[in-house]
Amino acid sequence: MLDMKFVRENPELVMDATRKRNANVNLDEFLELEKKRRELTLQVEALKSQRNAASQEIGKMKKAGENADAQMAEVRALGDKIAEDDKELKDIEARLKEILMTIPNMPAADTPVGSSDADNPVVRTWREPAKFAFEPQAHWDVERAGKVSGARFTFYRGLGSRLERSVINFFLDIHTGENGYTEFFPPFIVNKDSMQGTGQLPKFAEDMFKLEGLDYYLIPTAEVPITNLHRDEILSGDDLPLYYTAYSACFRAEAGSAGRDTRGLIRQHQFNKVELVKFTKPEDSWDELEKLTANAEKVLQLLELPYRVVRLCTGDIGFSSAATYDLE
């Protein structure tokens, strides 16, 4: 979530960024409410100061044996007005937070401007995709998972199961043994605060699997529990950077993908992923992003998997991202 002061002082900059990201943000309402919030805050502080002065005067009058009924009535009236203004202030602050949570992160200055994934430039490629003398069977053409669970689920069987498990272990072993990451095995269910902490809520509520009657969600990626490990904490700069990695199953309702191509692992309701997360100083973050991308590329190279590195444009980067590389 962007800082309230930053949005208030840079409305044109924020609006320009949201336009580039194809985001619909009610910034006029935000600015109006923020002005009202500051005015109301000053008003409440003045009323409280007035009430305190009146209370002190009442104390002096009572000590002198004087009648203070009128002054006491004034204090009660001030208290009622303060309570009324405090409630309005809380309502305004709640609405401001709602609006702030709909504003995406500011894209990095060098993030390519574009409207969709068609505008994503290819940064580099590694080897050529394999060509087969036969038509490989795609996982989405196997129907048993559909019978057991429904559409967009997959069974792994025999060597397929062993391969999936081996690749997960291989990734984790490389990242922890050679790249300096600490491994975690996170919970697959998190609370609402955690989903908000990484920007999944409220923006992507329809794409989440929510537990009925509870403020718990199945995680869409291990990034959610791992990033929230240090939510509401102040980390010492001496301890940074922190490198974390984690395997998790990922669960995505993909309700927002209606009409889009549903083929491929990221369009499944459940898939497996090894996540890399770094906590770092802002001034080091861009170098750390490049290192993290290199770590992710290295495991693909060791498996001799051809891939390309794509830089996501402003219309395609994630809600919380300033810059994103995709390895395809």
Side-chain angles (χ1 to χ4, degrees):
M1 187 170 72
L2 295 180
D3 179 71
M4 187 180 297
K5 181 180 178 182
F6 174 82
V7 178
R8 183 181 74 233
E9 295 180 351
N10 301 276
E12 294 182 0
L13 190 63
V14 173
M15 280 306 301
D16 181 60
T18 56
R19 281 193 294 267
K20 289 177 180 177
R21 298 188 55 137
N22 302 329
N24 184 19
V25 177
N26 195 342
L27 206 58
D28 288 339
E29 182 187 2
F30 171 86
L31 294 173
E32 182 180 338
L33 286 173
E34 169 60 0
K35 180 181 178 182
K36 178 66 175 176
R37 182 193 70 82
R38 284 179 287 136
E39 292 173 348
L40 201 55
T41 298
L42 291 175
Q43 179 176 305
V44 169
E45 290 175 352
L47 289 172
K48 288 180 178 178
S49 177
Q50 187 178 343
R51 182 179 62 179
N52 290 339
S55 296
Q56 291 175 4
E57 182 64 23
I58 290 170
K60 292 177 182 178
M61 292 178 69
K62 286 185 174 181
K63 190 173 182 180
E66 300 175 9
N67 187 305
D69 289 349
Q71 287 76 8
M72 291 173 67
E74 179 188 359
V75 167
R76 285 194 294 270
L78 286 170
D80 291 341
K81 177 59 176 171
I82 289 169
E84 180 184 328
D85 288 350
D86 274 340
K87 182 182 182 306
E88 184 180 0
L89 194 57
K90 287 181 180 179
D91 291 341
I92 289 174
E93 288 172 344
R95 178 56 184 155
L96 283 171
K97 184 177 179 181
E98 287 179 1
I99 298 174
L100 282 173
M101 292 181 69
T102 67
I103 303 176
N105 196 9
M106 300 291 290
D110 62 345
T111 294
V113 177
S115 58
S116 71
D117 56 5
D119 300 315
N120 295 338
V122 176
V123 178
R124 55 185 172 271
T125 61
W126 193 81
R127 294 194 176 182
E128 292 295 321
K131 294 180 172 58
F132 300 99
F134 57 91
E135 183 68 27
Q137 186 177 23
H139 66 83
W140 51 77
D141 291 330
V142 181
E143 298 180 353
R144 292 197 183 267
K147 177 178 70 174
V148 173
S149 299
R152 303 197 199 184
F153 288 93
T154 303
F155 267 110
Y156 292 87
R157 175 184 176 183
L159 290 177
S161 300
R162 185 177 179 183
L163 175 62
E164 182 81 352
R165 175 165 49 84
S166 298
V167 169
I168 291 169
N169 287 335
F170 174 71
F171 279 16
L172 290 171
D173 289 345
I174 293 295
H175 292 319
T176 56
E178 298 184 13
N179 298 331
Y181 290 81
T182 299
E183 181 182 351
F184 287 86
F185 189 37
F188 292 176
I189 296 174
V190 296
N191 57 33
K192 182 179 180 180
D193 287 343
S194 293
M195 294 296 268
Q196 288 179 336
T198 47
Q200 269 73 29
L201 290 177
K203 175 71 174 178
F204 302 108
E206 65 177 356
D207 290 329
M208 303 294 107
F209 280 113
K210 186 178 187 298
L211 276 63
E212 186 174 358
L214 300 170
D215 270 340
Y216 286 112
Y217 297 80
L218 294 177
I219 62 171
T221 162
E223 173 190 335
V224 175
I226 295 302
T227 302
N228 280 276
L229 272 172
H230 297 300
R231 187 180 75 238
D232 299 328
E233 295 179 27
I234 297 177
L235 302 177
S236 170
D238 294 337
D239 295 332
L240 299 178
L242 297 173
Y243 291 6
Y244 294 162
T245 185
Y247 154 76
S248 78
C250 303
F251 305 90
R252 303 186 183 183
E254 286 295 325
S257 67
R260 297 177 61 180
D261 184 6
T262 58
R263 296 191 167 197
L265 285 176
I266 64 171
R267 294 297 174 215
Q268 296 288 288
H269 286 318
Q270 177 184 329
F271 59 92
N272 297 312
K273 183 151 71 93
V274 172
E275 188 70 64
L276 301 177
V277 173
K278 292 185 175 186
F279 293 87
T280 182
K281 297 176 182 178
E283 60 268 27
D284 299 331
S285 62
W286 301 115
D287 287 339
E288 291 293 351
L289 173 61
E290 298 298 328
K291 293 177 185 177
L292 184 148
T293 304
N295 294 153
E297 289 186 60
K298 182 63 177 180
V299 291
L300 298 181
Q301 294 171 6
L302 290 171
L303 292 174
E304 299 184 3
L305 290 174
Y307 65 89
R308 63 180 183 178
V309 180
V310 176
R311 182 72 185 269
L312 300 196
C313 70
T314 54
D316 197 34
I317 56 175
F319 180 83
S320 301
S321 298
T324 300
Y325 292 111
D326 263 4
L327 307 187
E328 300 177 341

